[in-house]
Amino acid sequence: MQIGITAFLRNPAISRRSHQQLYSEFLEMMEYADQHGMTRVSLDEHHLEDDGYLPSQFVMAGAIA
């Protein structure tokens, strides 16, 4: 069985998190998921959004790897 996560990484102003904190927390979540059997991740991207909506999925995929 394959277990996966789809990530949108939205960061609305109401959350009051920096983009650095958002991405750092996501990478910690990916590490946890990997240690507990996750076998895939799907990343969604969108450009020119000021809420941190992942602008480069390839960079994030490299960080996850």
Side-chain angles (χ1 to χ4, degrees):
M1 174 170 46
Q2 292 190 358
I3 300 170
I5 293 175
T6 299
F8 298 102
L9 293 169
R10 303 294 306 248
N11 190 24
I14 196 166
S15 75
R16 299 179 187 217
R17 290 185 298 183
S18 67
H19 297 315
Q20 179 181 1
Q21 182 180 1
L22 171 72
Y23 298 143
S24 177
E25 289 171 356
F26 177 71
L27 289 174
E28 288 176 16
M29 183 173 69
M30 291 296 94
E31 185 176 352
Y32 177 87
D34 182 48
Q35 292 170 352
H36 290 85
M38 182 195 74
T39 57
R40 59 200 304 192
V41 63
S42 174
L43 300 171
D44 195 20
E45 74 173 317
H46 203 285
H47 302 279
L48 306 173
E49 296 289 334
D50 59 357
D51 70 352
Y53 197 156
L54 189 61
S56 179
Q57 66 199 34
F58 295 113
V59 173
M60 183 58 80
I64 292 169

Short mmCIF file of all heavy atoms in Angstrom, two decimals:
data_model
loop_
_atom_site.label_atom_id
_atom_site.label_comp_id
_atom_site.label_asym_id
_atom_site.label_seq_id
_atom_site.Cartn_x
_atom_site.Cartn_y
_atom_site.Cartn_z
N MET A 1 0.84 -1.17 0.00
CA MET A 1 0.00 0.00 0.00
C MET A 1 0.90 1.25 0.00
O MET A 1 1.89 1.30 0.71
CB MET A 1 -0.89 0.00 1.24
CG MET A 1 -1.68 1.28 1.36
SD MET A 1 -2.99 1.38 2.60
CE MET A 1 -2.28 0.73 4.06
N GLN A 2 0.51 2.23 -0.79
CA GLN A 2 1.24 3.49 -0.81
C GLN A 2 0.49 4.53 0.00
O GLN A 2 -0.73 4.65 -0.11
CB GLN A 2 1.42 3.98 -2.23
CG GLN A 2 2.34 3.12 -3.04
CD GLN A 2 2.68 3.77 -4.37
OE1 GLN A 2 2.22 4.84 -4.69
NE2 GLN A 2 3.52 3.10 -5.13
N ILE A 3 1.24 5.25 0.81
CA ILE A 3 0.67 6.32 1.62
C ILE A 3 1.28 7.63 1.15
O ILE A 3 2.50 7.73 1.00
CB ILE A 3 0.98 6.11 3.11
CG1 ILE A 3 0.38 4.78 3.58
CG2 ILE A 3 0.44 7.27 3.93
CD1 ILE A 3 0.83 4.38 4.95
N GLY A 4 0.46 8.63 0.90
CA GLY A 4 1.00 9.88 0.39
C GLY A 4 0.37 11.10 1.04
O GLY A 4 -0.64 11.01 1.73
N ILE A 5 1.01 12.22 0.80
CA ILE A 5 0.56 13.51 1.30
C ILE A 5 0.52 14.47 0.13
O ILE A 5 1.43 14.49 -0.69
CB ILE A 5 1.52 14.05 2.38
CG1 ILE A 5 1.47 13.18 3.63
CG2 ILE A 5 1.20 15.50 2.72
CD1 ILE A 5 2.46 13.57 4.69
N THR A 6 -0.55 15.25 0.04
CA THR A 6 -0.62 16.33 -0.93
C THR A 6 -0.45 17.63 -0.16
O THR A 6 -1.13 17.87 0.83
CB THR A 6 -1.98 16.33 -1.67
OG1 THR A 6 -2.10 15.09 -2.36
CG2 THR A 6 -2.06 17.47 -2.65
N ALA A 7 0.45 18.47 -0.63
CA ALA A 7 0.77 19.70 0.08
C ALA A 7 0.45 20.92 -0.77
O ALA A 7 0.88 21.00 -1.91
CB ALA A 7 2.24 19.71 0.47
N PHE A 8 -0.29 21.84 -0.20
CA PHE A 8 -0.61 23.09 -0.88
C PHE A 8 0.20 24.26 -0.31
O PHE A 8 0.44 25.23 -0.99
CB PHE A 8 -2.11 23.39 -0.78
CG PHE A 8 -2.94 22.34 -1.46
CD1 PHE A 8 -3.59 21.38 -0.72
CD2 PHE A 8 -3.04 22.31 -2.83
CE1 PHE A 8 -4.36 20.41 -1.34
CE2 PHE A 8 -3.80 21.35 -3.47
CZ PHE A 8 -4.46 20.39 -2.71
N LEU A 9 0.61 24.17 0.93
CA LEU A 9 1.46 25.16 1.59
C LEU A 9 0.95 26.59 1.47
O LEU A 9 1.69 27.52 1.15
CB LEU A 9 2.90 25.06 1.08
CG LEU A 9 3.59 23.75 1.47
CD1 LEU A 9 4.89 23.59 0.72
CD2 LEU A 9 3.82 23.69 2.96
N ARG A 10 -0.31 26.80 1.76
CA ARG A 10 -0.88 28.15 1.81
C ARG A 10 -0.51 28.74 3.17
O ARG A 10 -0.40 28.05 4.16
CB ARG A 10 -2.40 28.12 1.67
CG ARG A 10 -2.94 27.46 0.41
CD ARG A 10 -2.64 28.13 -0.90
NE ARG A 10 -2.99 29.50 -1.08
CZ ARG A 10 -3.94 29.96 -1.88
NH1 ARG A 10 -4.68 29.12 -2.56
NH2 ARG A 10 -4.13 31.24 -2.03
N ASN A 11 -0.34 30.03 3.22
CA ASN A 11 0.05 30.71 4.45
C ASN A 11 -0.71 32.04 4.57
O ASN A 11 -0.14 33.10 4.39
CB ASN A 11 1.56 30.95 4.46
CG ASN A 11 2.07 31.41 5.80
OD1 ASN A 11 1.45 31.17 6.82
ND2 ASN A 11 3.20 32.08 5.80
N PRO A 12 -2.00 31.97 4.88
CA PRO A 12 -2.76 33.22 4.96
C PRO A 12 -2.26 34.13 6.08
O PRO A 12 -1.71 33.65 7.09
CB PRO A 12 -4.19 32.75 5.24
CG PRO A 12 -4.05 31.38 5.80
CD PRO A 12 -2.79 30.81 5.22
N ALA A 13 -2.44 35.41 5.91
CA ALA A 13 -1.95 36.39 6.89
C ALA A 13 -2.47 36.11 8.30
O ALA A 13 -1.77 36.37 9.28
CB ALA A 13 -2.33 37.80 6.45
N ILE A 14 -3.65 35.58 8.42
CA ILE A 14 -4.24 35.32 9.74
C ILE A 14 -3.42 34.30 10.54
O ILE A 14 -3.47 34.28 11.76
CB ILE A 14 -5.71 34.87 9.61
CG1 ILE A 14 -6.41 35.00 10.94
CG2 ILE A 14 -5.81 33.48 9.04
CD1 ILE A 14 -7.91 34.90 10.87
N SER A 15 -2.65 33.45 9.86
CA SER A 15 -1.85 32.45 10.57
C SER A 15 -0.65 33.07 11.28
O SER A 15 -0.10 32.49 12.20
CB SER A 15 -1.36 31.35 9.62
OG SER A 15 -0.31 31.83 8.82
N ARG A 16 -0.22 34.24 10.82
CA ARG A 16 0.90 34.98 11.41
C ARG A 16 2.19 34.18 11.49
O ARG A 16 2.96 34.29 12.44
CB ARG A 16 0.52 35.53 12.78
CG ARG A 16 -0.64 36.47 12.72
CD ARG A 16 -1.03 36.99 14.06
NE ARG A 16 -2.26 37.75 13.91
CZ ARG A 16 -2.53 38.84 14.56
NH1 ARG A 16 -1.68 39.30 15.44
NH2 ARG A 16 -3.66 39.47 14.37
N ARG A 17 2.43 33.34 10.48
CA ARG A 17 3.68 32.60 10.40
C ARG A 17 4.50 33.18 9.25
O ARG A 17 3.96 33.57 8.22
CB ARG A 17 3.44 31.13 10.09
CG ARG A 17 2.81 30.37 11.22
CD ARG A 17 2.73 28.90 10.88
NE ARG A 17 1.88 28.72 9.70
CZ ARG A 17 1.57 27.55 9.19
NH1 ARG A 17 2.04 26.45 9.72
NH2 ARG A 17 0.79 27.46 8.13
N SER A 18 5.80 33.16 9.40
CA SER A 18 6.66 33.56 8.29
C SER A 18 6.68 32.42 7.28
O SER A 18 6.38 31.27 7.60
CB SER A 18 8.07 33.85 8.79
OG SER A 18 8.69 32.66 9.23
N HIS A 19 7.07 32.73 6.05
CA HIS A 19 7.19 31.67 5.05
C HIS A 19 8.28 30.69 5.48
O HIS A 19 8.14 29.48 5.27
CB HIS A 19 7.52 32.27 3.68
CG HIS A 19 6.45 33.16 3.14
ND1 HIS A 19 5.11 32.84 3.18
CD2 HIS A 19 6.51 34.37 2.56
CE1 HIS A 19 4.40 33.80 2.65
NE2 HIS A 19 5.24 34.76 2.27
N GLN A 20 9.32 31.19 6.10
CA GLN A 20 10.40 30.31 6.58
C GLN A 20 9.85 29.32 7.60
O GLN A 20 10.16 28.14 7.55
CB GLN A 20 11.51 31.14 7.21
CG GLN A 20 12.64 30.30 7.74
CD GLN A 20 13.74 31.14 8.39
OE1 GLN A 20 13.64 32.36 8.46
NE2 GLN A 20 14.77 30.49 8.86
N GLN A 21 9.01 29.78 8.51
CA GLN A 21 8.43 28.89 9.52
C GLN A 21 7.50 27.87 8.85
O GLN A 21 7.54 26.69 9.20
CB GLN A 21 7.66 29.70 10.56
CG GLN A 21 7.08 28.85 11.66
CD GLN A 21 6.31 29.67 12.70
OE1 GLN A 21 6.20 30.88 12.59
NE2 GLN A 21 5.78 29.00 13.68
N LEU A 22 6.69 28.32 7.90
CA LEU A 22 5.79 27.42 7.19
C LEU A 22 6.55 26.29 6.52
O LEU A 22 6.24 25.11 6.70
CB LEU A 22 4.99 28.20 6.14
CG LEU A 22 4.15 27.37 5.16
CD1 LEU A 22 2.95 26.78 5.88
CD2 LEU A 22 3.73 28.21 3.98
N TYR A 23 7.59 26.64 5.76
CA TYR A 23 8.34 25.63 5.03
C TYR A 23 9.14 24.74 5.98
O TYR A 23 9.26 23.54 5.76
CB TYR A 23 9.26 26.28 4.00
CG TYR A 23 8.50 27.06 2.94
CD1 TYR A 23 9.01 28.24 2.43
CD2 TYR A 23 7.29 26.62 2.45
CE1 TYR A 23 8.31 28.96 1.46
CE2 TYR A 23 6.59 27.32 1.49
CZ TYR A 23 7.11 28.49 0.99
OH TYR A 23 6.42 29.19 0.04
N SER A 24 9.67 25.30 7.05
CA SER A 24 10.41 24.52 8.03
C SER A 24 9.50 23.49 8.70
O SER A 24 9.86 22.32 8.86
CB SER A 24 11.04 25.45 9.07
OG SER A 24 11.69 24.70 10.07
N GLU A 25 8.31 23.92 9.09
CA GLU A 25 7.35 23.01 9.72
C GLU A 25 6.93 21.91 8.75
O GLU A 25 6.77 20.75 9.13
CB GLU A 25 6.13 23.77 10.22
CG GLU A 25 6.42 24.65 11.41
CD GLU A 25 5.27 25.57 11.78
OE1 GLU A 25 4.24 25.59 11.06
OE2 GLU A 25 5.39 26.27 12.79
N PHE A 26 6.78 22.27 7.48
CA PHE A 26 6.41 21.27 6.48
C PHE A 26 7.51 20.23 6.32
O PHE A 26 7.23 19.03 6.24
CB PHE A 26 6.11 21.94 5.14
CG PHE A 26 5.79 20.95 4.06
CD1 PHE A 26 4.60 20.23 4.08
CD2 PHE A 26 6.69 20.71 3.04
CE1 PHE A 26 4.31 19.30 3.10
CE2 PHE A 26 6.41 19.78 2.05
CZ PHE A 26 5.22 19.08 2.08
N LEU A 27 8.77 20.66 6.29
CA LEU A 27 9.87 19.71 6.16
C LEU A 27 9.96 18.79 7.38
O LEU A 27 10.26 17.60 7.24
CB LEU A 27 11.19 20.44 5.93
CG LEU A 27 11.32 21.10 4.55
CD1 LEU A 27 12.59 21.93 4.49
CD2 LEU A 27 11.27 20.07 3.44
N GLU A 28 9.67 19.32 8.56
CA GLU A 28 9.62 18.47 9.76
C GLU A 28 8.50 17.44 9.62
O GLU A 28 8.67 16.28 10.00
CB GLU A 28 9.39 19.33 11.00
CG GLU A 28 10.59 20.16 11.42
CD GLU A 28 10.30 21.06 12.60
OE1 GLU A 28 9.28 20.85 13.29
OE2 GLU A 28 11.09 21.98 12.83
N MET A 29 7.36 17.87 9.07
CA MET A 29 6.24 16.95 8.88
C MET A 29 6.61 15.86 7.87
O MET A 29 6.28 14.70 8.05
CB MET A 29 5.01 17.71 8.39
CG MET A 29 3.79 16.84 8.24
SD MET A 29 2.28 17.76 7.86
CE MET A 29 2.63 18.33 6.21
N MET A 30 7.36 16.23 6.83
CA MET A 30 7.79 15.24 5.84
C MET A 30 8.75 14.22 6.45
O MET A 30 8.69 13.03 6.16
CB MET A 30 8.47 15.92 4.65
CG MET A 30 7.55 16.74 3.78
SD MET A 30 6.29 15.74 2.94
CE MET A 30 4.92 15.88 4.08
N GLU A 31 9.64 14.69 7.32
CA GLU A 31 10.57 13.77 8.00
C GLU A 31 9.80 12.79 8.87
O GLU A 31 10.06 11.59 8.85
CB GLU A 31 11.57 14.56 8.84
CG GLU A 31 12.62 13.71 9.48
CD GLU A 31 13.67 14.51 10.22
OE1 GLU A 31 13.68 15.75 10.14
OE2 GLU A 31 14.49 13.87 10.90
N TYR A 32 8.83 13.29 9.62
CA TYR A 32 7.99 12.44 10.46
C TYR A 32 7.23 11.41 9.61
O TYR A 32 7.19 10.22 9.93
CB TYR A 32 7.01 13.29 11.27
CG TYR A 32 6.06 12.49 12.11
CD1 TYR A 32 6.41 12.08 13.39
CD2 TYR A 32 4.81 12.13 11.63
CE1 TYR A 32 5.54 11.33 14.16
CE2 TYR A 32 3.93 11.37 12.38
CZ TYR A 32 4.31 10.97 13.65
OH TYR A 32 3.45 10.22 14.41
N ALA A 33 6.63 11.90 8.53
CA ALA A 33 5.86 11.02 7.66
C ALA A 33 6.74 9.93 7.05
O ALA A 33 6.33 8.76 6.97
CB ALA A 33 5.18 11.84 6.56
N ASP A 34 7.94 10.28 6.64
CA ASP A 34 8.87 9.31 6.08
C ASP A 34 9.23 8.24 7.11
O ASP A 34 9.27 7.05 6.79
CB ASP A 34 10.13 10.02 5.59
CG ASP A 34 11.13 9.07 4.95
OD1 ASP A 34 10.71 8.25 4.09
OD2 ASP A 34 12.32 9.15 5.28
N GLN A 35 9.44 8.65 8.33
CA GLN A 35 9.79 7.71 9.39
C GLN A 35 8.63 6.78 9.74
O GLN A 35 8.83 5.74 10.35
CB GLN A 35 10.24 8.46 10.64
CG GLN A 35 11.54 9.20 10.48
CD GLN A 35 11.84 10.13 11.63
OE1 GLN A 35 11.02 10.35 12.52
NE2 GLN A 35 13.03 10.71 11.60
N HIS A 36 7.42 7.18 9.34
CA HIS A 36 6.23 6.38 9.68
C HIS A 36 5.56 5.78 8.45
O HIS A 36 4.37 5.49 8.46
CB HIS A 36 5.26 7.24 10.48
CG HIS A 36 5.77 7.55 11.85
ND1 HIS A 36 6.62 8.61 12.10
CD2 HIS A 36 5.60 6.92 13.03
CE1 HIS A 36 6.93 8.62 13.38
NE2 HIS A 36 6.33 7.60 13.97
N GLY A 37 6.33 5.59 7.38
CA GLY A 37 5.84 4.80 6.26
C GLY A 37 5.30 5.55 5.06
O GLY A 37 4.80 4.90 4.13
N MET A 38 5.36 6.86 5.03
CA MET A 38 4.88 7.59 3.86
C MET A 38 5.74 7.22 2.67
O MET A 38 6.96 7.14 2.77
CB MET A 38 4.93 9.09 4.08
CG MET A 38 4.39 9.87 2.88
SD MET A 38 4.80 11.62 2.91
CE MET A 38 6.52 11.59 2.48
N THR A 39 5.11 6.99 1.53
CA THR A 39 5.87 6.58 0.36
C THR A 39 5.85 7.60 -0.77
O THR A 39 6.59 7.45 -1.74
CB THR A 39 5.33 5.25 -0.20
OG1 THR A 39 3.93 5.39 -0.49
CG2 THR A 39 5.54 4.13 0.81
N ARG A 40 5.03 8.64 -0.69
CA ARG A 40 5.00 9.65 -1.75
C ARG A 40 4.44 10.97 -1.25
O ARG A 40 3.72 11.02 -0.27
CB ARG A 40 4.21 9.16 -2.94
CG ARG A 40 2.80 8.83 -2.58
CD ARG A 40 2.06 7.91 -3.51
NE ARG A 40 2.00 8.35 -4.86
CZ ARG A 40 1.22 7.82 -5.81
NH1 ARG A 40 0.45 6.92 -5.61
NH2 ARG A 40 1.18 8.20 -7.00
N VAL A 41 4.83 12.02 -1.96
CA VAL A 41 4.32 13.36 -1.67
C VAL A 41 3.98 14.03 -2.99
O VAL A 41 4.66 13.84 -3.99
CB VAL A 41 5.33 14.21 -0.86
CG1 VAL A 41 6.61 14.45 -1.63
CG2 VAL A 41 4.72 15.53 -0.44
N SER A 42 2.90 14.77 -3.00
CA SER A 42 2.47 15.52 -4.17
C SER A 42 2.50 17.00 -3.80
O SER A 42 1.91 17.40 -2.80
CB SER A 42 1.06 15.10 -4.57
OG SER A 42 0.58 15.90 -5.61
N LEU A 43 3.20 17.79 -4.59
CA LEU A 43 3.34 19.21 -4.30
C LEU A 43 2.57 20.03 -5.34
O LEU A 43 2.70 19.80 -6.54
CB LEU A 43 4.81 19.61 -4.32
CG LEU A 43 5.71 18.91 -3.31
CD1 LEU A 43 7.17 19.22 -3.58
CD2 LEU A 43 5.32 19.32 -1.90
N ASP A 44 1.80 20.98 -4.88
CA ASP A 44 1.07 21.89 -5.74
C ASP A 44 1.81 23.23 -5.73
O ASP A 44 2.37 23.61 -4.71
CB ASP A 44 -0.35 22.06 -5.20
CG ASP A 44 -1.28 22.68 -6.21
OD1 ASP A 44 -0.98 22.65 -7.41
OD2 ASP A 44 -2.34 23.19 -5.79
N GLU A 45 1.84 23.92 -6.85
CA GLU A 45 2.54 25.20 -6.89
C GLU A 45 1.65 26.27 -7.51
O GLU A 45 0.73 25.98 -8.25
CB GLU A 45 3.85 25.10 -7.67
CG GLU A 45 3.64 25.01 -9.17
CD GLU A 45 4.93 25.09 -9.95
OE1 GLU A 45 5.80 25.91 -9.63
OE2 GLU A 45 5.07 24.30 -10.90
N HIS A 46 1.96 27.50 -7.17
CA HIS A 46 1.27 28.63 -7.76
C HIS A 46 2.18 29.83 -7.66
O HIS A 46 2.80 30.07 -6.63
CB HIS A 46 -0.04 28.89 -7.03
CG HIS A 46 -1.03 29.63 -7.86
ND1 HIS A 46 -0.92 30.98 -8.12
CD2 HIS A 46 -2.14 29.21 -8.49
CE1 HIS A 46 -1.93 31.36 -8.87
NE2 HIS A 46 -2.68 30.31 -9.12
N HIS A 47 2.27 30.60 -8.72
CA HIS A 47 3.16 31.75 -8.75
C HIS A 47 2.44 33.04 -8.41
O HIS A 47 1.24 33.16 -8.60
CB HIS A 47 3.81 31.88 -10.13
CG HIS A 47 4.58 30.66 -10.51
ND1 HIS A 47 5.86 30.42 -10.06
CD2 HIS A 47 4.26 29.57 -11.26
CE1 HIS A 47 6.28 29.28 -10.51
NE2 HIS A 47 5.34 28.74 -11.25
N LEU A 48 3.19 33.99 -7.90
CA LEU A 48 2.72 35.36 -7.64
C LEU A 48 1.63 35.45 -6.60
O LEU A 48 0.80 36.34 -6.64
CB LEU A 48 2.28 36.03 -8.96
CG LEU A 48 3.32 36.02 -10.08
CD1 LEU A 48 2.71 36.55 -11.36
CD2 LEU A 48 4.55 36.80 -9.70
N GLU A 49 1.63 34.56 -5.66
CA GLU A 49 0.70 34.63 -4.53
C GLU A 49 1.46 35.10 -3.30
O GLU A 49 2.53 34.59 -3.01
CB GLU A 49 0.06 33.27 -4.25
CG GLU A 49 -0.81 32.74 -5.35
CD GLU A 49 -2.11 33.51 -5.49
OE1 GLU A 49 -2.58 34.10 -4.49
OE2 GLU A 49 -2.66 33.52 -6.60
N ASP A 50 0.94 36.08 -2.60
CA ASP A 50 1.66 36.61 -1.44
C ASP A 50 1.43 35.81 -0.16
O ASP A 50 1.96 36.13 0.88
CB ASP A 50 1.33 38.08 -1.22
CG ASP A 50 -0.14 38.34 -0.98
OD1 ASP A 50 -0.94 37.39 -1.04
OD2 ASP A 50 -0.49 39.51 -0.73
N ASP A 51 0.64 34.73 -0.24
CA ASP A 51 0.41 33.93 0.96
C ASP A 51 1.37 32.74 1.05
O ASP A 51 1.18 31.84 1.85
CB ASP A 51 -1.04 33.47 1.03
CG ASP A 51 -1.41 32.44 -0.02
OD1 ASP A 51 -0.57 32.17 -0.92
OD2 ASP A 51 -2.52 31.90 0.05
N GLY A 52 2.42 32.72 0.23
CA GLY A 52 3.41 31.67 0.32
C GLY A 52 3.05 30.39 -0.40
O GLY A 52 3.69 29.36 -0.22
N TYR A 53 2.02 30.44 -1.23
CA TYR A 53 1.60 29.26 -1.98
C TYR A 53 2.77 28.79 -2.82
O TYR A 53 3.11 29.36 -3.83
CB TYR A 53 0.42 29.62 -2.86
CG TYR A 53 -0.41 28.47 -3.39
CD1 TYR A 53 -1.72 28.68 -3.76
CD2 TYR A 53 0.12 27.20 -3.54
CE1 TYR A 53 -2.50 27.66 -4.27
CE2 TYR A 53 -0.65 26.17 -4.04
CZ TYR A 53 -1.96 26.41 -4.40
OH TYR A 53 -2.72 25.40 -4.91
N LEU A 54 3.39 27.73 -2.41
CA LEU A 54 4.62 27.16 -2.94
C LEU A 54 4.94 27.60 -4.37
O LEU A 54 4.37 27.10 -5.33
CB LEU A 54 4.53 25.64 -2.88
CG LEU A 54 5.79 24.87 -3.20
CD1 LEU A 54 6.90 25.22 -2.23
CD2 LEU A 54 5.52 23.39 -3.16
N PRO A 55 5.89 28.51 -4.56
CA PRO A 55 6.22 29.00 -5.89
C PRO A 55 7.15 28.10 -6.68
O PRO A 55 7.31 28.27 -7.89
CB PRO A 55 6.88 30.35 -5.62
CG PRO A 55 7.50 30.19 -4.28
CD PRO A 55 6.58 29.27 -3.52
N SER A 56 7.82 27.13 -6.04
CA SER A 56 8.74 26.27 -6.77
C SER A 56 8.72 24.86 -6.18
O SER A 56 9.39 24.57 -5.19
CB SER A 56 10.16 26.83 -6.71
OG SER A 56 11.04 25.97 -7.41
N GLN A 57 7.96 24.01 -6.81
CA GLN A 57 7.85 22.64 -6.31
C GLN A 57 9.14 21.86 -6.44
O GLN A 57 9.41 20.98 -5.63
CB GLN A 57 6.72 21.91 -7.03
CG GLN A 57 7.00 21.69 -8.50
CD GLN A 57 5.76 21.38 -9.29
OE1 GLN A 57 4.71 21.90 -8.98
NE2 GLN A 57 5.89 20.56 -10.31
N PHE A 58 9.98 22.19 -7.42
CA PHE A 58 11.23 21.44 -7.60
C PHE A 58 12.22 21.72 -6.46
O PHE A 58 12.93 20.83 -6.02
CB PHE A 58 11.86 21.75 -8.95
CG PHE A 58 10.99 21.27 -10.09
CD1 PHE A 58 10.39 22.18 -10.94
CD2 PHE A 58 10.77 19.92 -10.30
CE1 PHE A 58 9.59 21.74 -11.98
CE2 PHE A 58 9.97 19.47 -11.33
CZ PHE A 58 9.37 20.39 -12.19
N VAL A 59 12.27 22.95 -6.00
CA VAL A 59 13.14 23.28 -4.87
C VAL A 59 12.66 22.55 -3.61
O VAL A 59 13.46 21.96 -2.89
CB VAL A 59 13.20 24.81 -4.64
CG1 VAL A 59 13.97 25.14 -3.38
CG2 VAL A 59 13.83 25.50 -5.86
N MET A 60 11.35 22.56 -3.37
CA MET A 60 10.82 21.86 -2.21
C MET A 60 11.02 20.36 -2.33
O MET A 60 11.38 19.69 -1.35
CB MET A 60 9.33 22.18 -2.01
CG MET A 60 8.74 21.53 -0.77
SD MET A 60 9.55 21.98 0.79
CE MET A 60 8.82 23.58 1.09
N ALA A 61 10.86 19.82 -3.52
CA ALA A 61 11.09 18.37 -3.72
C ALA A 61 12.54 18.02 -3.41
O ALA A 61 12.81 16.98 -2.80
CB ALA A 61 10.73 17.97 -5.15
N GLY A 62 13.47 18.87 -3.81
CA GLY A 62 14.87 18.65 -3.49
C GLY A 62 15.13 18.70 -1.99
O GLY A 62 15.90 17.90 -1.46
N ALA A 63 14.48 19.63 -1.31
CA ALA A 63 14.63 19.72 0.15
C ALA A 63 14.07 18.48 0.84
O ALA A 63 14.65 17.98 1.80
CB ALA A 63 13.95 20.99 0.67
N ILE A 64 12.96 17.97 0.33
CA ILE A 64 12.36 16.77 0.91
C ILE A 64 13.27 15.57 0.68
O ILE A 64 13.47 14.76 1.58
CB ILE A 64 10.97 16.51 0.31
CG1 ILE A 64 9.99 17.60 0.74
CG2 ILE A 64 10.45 15.13 0.70
CD1 ILE A 64 8.68 17.59 0.00
N ALA A 65 13.84 15.50 -0.51
CA ALA A 65 14.70 14.35 -0.84
C ALA A 65 15.92 14.35 0.06
O ALA A 65 16.42 13.34 0.49
CB ALA A 65 15.12 14.40 -2.30
#
